[in-house]
Amino acid sequence: MILSGATVVTALDPVRVVEVDVFVEDGRIAATGGGTRHDCSGCLVVPGNVCAHTHLYSALARGMPYALEPPDNFLQILQRVWWRLDRALDEDAIRASALAGGLEALLSGTTTLVDHHASPNAIDGSLDVIEEALRALGIRSVLAYEVSDRDGPERAHAGIDENRRFLERVRGEPSPLVRGLVGAHAAFTMSDDTLAACAALGPLHIHAAEDRIDTGAVSRLASLGALDERTLLAHGVHLSTEELELVLKANASIAHNARSNMNNAVGHAQVGAMGERLALGTDGIGSDMFEESRASYFRLHEDDLHVGADWPLARLAASARLAGRIFEEPLLGTLGPGAPADLAVLDYAAPAPVRTSSFAGHWVFGLSARSVRDVMVAGEWVVRDRHLTRADPQELAAGARTQADRLWRRLDEVGPHEFEPKGGRRWQAAPVA
Ligand SMILES: [Zn+2]
């Protein structure tokens, strides 16, 4: 296949913009080739976006009724909103969430989702349900079940088993589009034994120091030998200087979720000090990485006028490199020969020249998901002319609304979660050696 006539952004960090035809063969970008010509005249072709931390299960929560006292802090947000919602999820709601979240991701040019799933009353097989839904849409994903002790030892064990089972399945029947990590909620809801059991299974995807309540999380992970270059930490807002050093020394990744941090009022992550492996996630606020990266830029720019427009692009490149390491595809997120053909065609009437030197400005001040015309994952068109090629979004959305109504009704029967971390120190960490 040949994508012809476009301005092509072959890399985001550093940015490289060229006027070339893009050849796609066997799911990858090729140096030359032939076949069907896909007219992209007047368009930009960019690497598909990667969302490095999301919760598809929150897709049905948009606008859900809330009758309890308004939360005053992060723990109460969890107790009164998310730890109620997750306990009300059943298999049908999980499937509908994944389909609704996945379709929005693709239509906004996001080609890979790194998901963190929780459904304490429907744990077994939940990752298969999500995988099947996302496979039907054709999006790339990295899945994990969020292990926690907050719902008791049985569910903690079931969560560990679900991660183990899914990882073995994915390793046993390799698919180009799905991988697994070991999900863990956050150190403040987990015992050392549970954390260690998770770490023994494989690389962790865990919330870390999102709020003050999770202070010391990274020290605990390090003391348990659960922090290495494959670890994905979400948030990192309240890392101490020593902990940030541990993260950088281990070469672990951090997923920054600027909009979620603002929405939960947890504080400002010190993103300037977080190194080259700082990626971007949405924490479940959709999967539109145009919007997320722009919000993260403005949030940071408010504090530091010297931050350039290339900063959010470098973070998106880091998100893609993270996914590339997990998929063992080091060129993921670039459009050079040999890279997986994950890309978006943007219909963008540029009001100023688009060049290597100017592209970042277009990204921050002009481009958005509304420009996304076509999307390709692993060489297959999954969005053409703003329509999903494999599913009907209106039908999926109608199904999601039906499930949301069911879910919201069940929520009335679920009270605030009673888990209290006892001053944030329910489980004491051993000092780091
Ligand atoms: Zn999260």
Side-chain angles (χ1 to χ4, degrees), residues 53 55 207 235 283:
H53 177 73
H55 302 281
H207 295 114
H235 297 281
D283 206 22

Side-chain angles (χ1 to χ4, degrees), residues 371-392:
S371 312
V372 174
R373 189 188 78 178
D374 313 309
V375 178
M376 179 181 276
V377 177
E380 188 194 327
W381 290 117
V382 287
V383 176
R384 285 288 293 268
D385 291 327
R386 303 175 190 275
H387 293 291
L388 296 178
T389 59
R390 292 166 160 224
D392 175 357

Side-chain angles (χ1 to χ4, degrees), residues 29-236:
I29 307 298
T32 58
T36 320
R37 194 168 280 271
H38 187 80
D39 184 17
C40 298
S41 302
C43 294
L44 288 176
V45 174
V46 300
N49 284 324
V50 172
C51 177
H53 177 73
T54 190
H55 302 281
L56 286 164
Y57 72 76
S58 68
L60 307 186
R62 237 171 262 176
M64 71 183 175
Y66 182 84
L68 305 174
E69 282 286 300
D72 283 325
N73 56 50
F74 179 67
L75 179 63
Q76 288 177 359
I77 292 171
L78 296 177
Q79 289 169 328
R80 297 177 193 179
V81 181
W82 301 112
W83 293 348
R84 285 174 62 229
L85 179 87
D86 66 9
R87 282 178 292 157
L89 289 168
D90 63 10
E91 191 179 309
D92 288 341
I94 295 167
R95 183 178 298 105
S97 303
L99 288 168
L103 84 87
E104 285 195 344
L106 284 180
L107 290 172
S108 66
T110 297
T111 50
T112 300
L113 294 174
V114 182
D115 190 56
H116 200 249
H117 174 69
S119 52
N121 290 318
I123 298 174
D124 302 346
S126 56
L127 297 180
D128 289 349
V129 172
I130 298 169
E131 192 260 338
E132 195 185 330
L134 298 180
R135 181 153 38 91
L137 297 171
I139 193 168
R140 201 183 283 275
S141 64
V142 181
L143 306 184
Y145 187 85
E146 180 201 285
V147 175
S148 173
D149 286 310
R150 68 176 180 266
D151 293 301
E154 256 175 56
R155 286 179 175 81
H157 288 136
I160 292 168
D161 288 346
E162 178 63 3
N163 281 305
R164 180 189 296 114
R165 187 195 62 73
F166 187 74
L167 283 171
E168 281 171 4
R169 211 205 92 195
V170 175
R171 284 168 186 157
E173 35 177 290
S175 146
L177 294 188
V178 67
R179 293 292 182 273
L181 288 172
V182 180
H185 171 247
F188 80 93
T189 73
M190 299 172 74
S191 70
D192 281 352
D193 285 350
T194 306
L195 272 173
C198 288
L201 280 184
L204 292 184
H205 178 184
I206 183 168
H207 295 114
E210 177 173 4
D211 181 80
R212 271 192 190 83
I213 201 167
D214 200 29
T215 295
V218 161
S219 299
R220 272 185 72 201
L221 291 177
S223 71
L224 291 165
L227 183 72
D228 64 30
E229 75 283 356
R230 304 167 308 160
T231 310
L232 173 55
L233 307 165
H235 297 281

Side-chain angles (χ1 to χ4, degrees), residues 9-12 45-50 109 111 320 332-335 342-344 363:
V9 181
T10 60
L12 298 181
V45 174
V46 300
N49 284 324
V50 172
T111 50
L332 193 93
T334 70
L335 296 180
D342 288 16
L343 56 84
W363 186 276

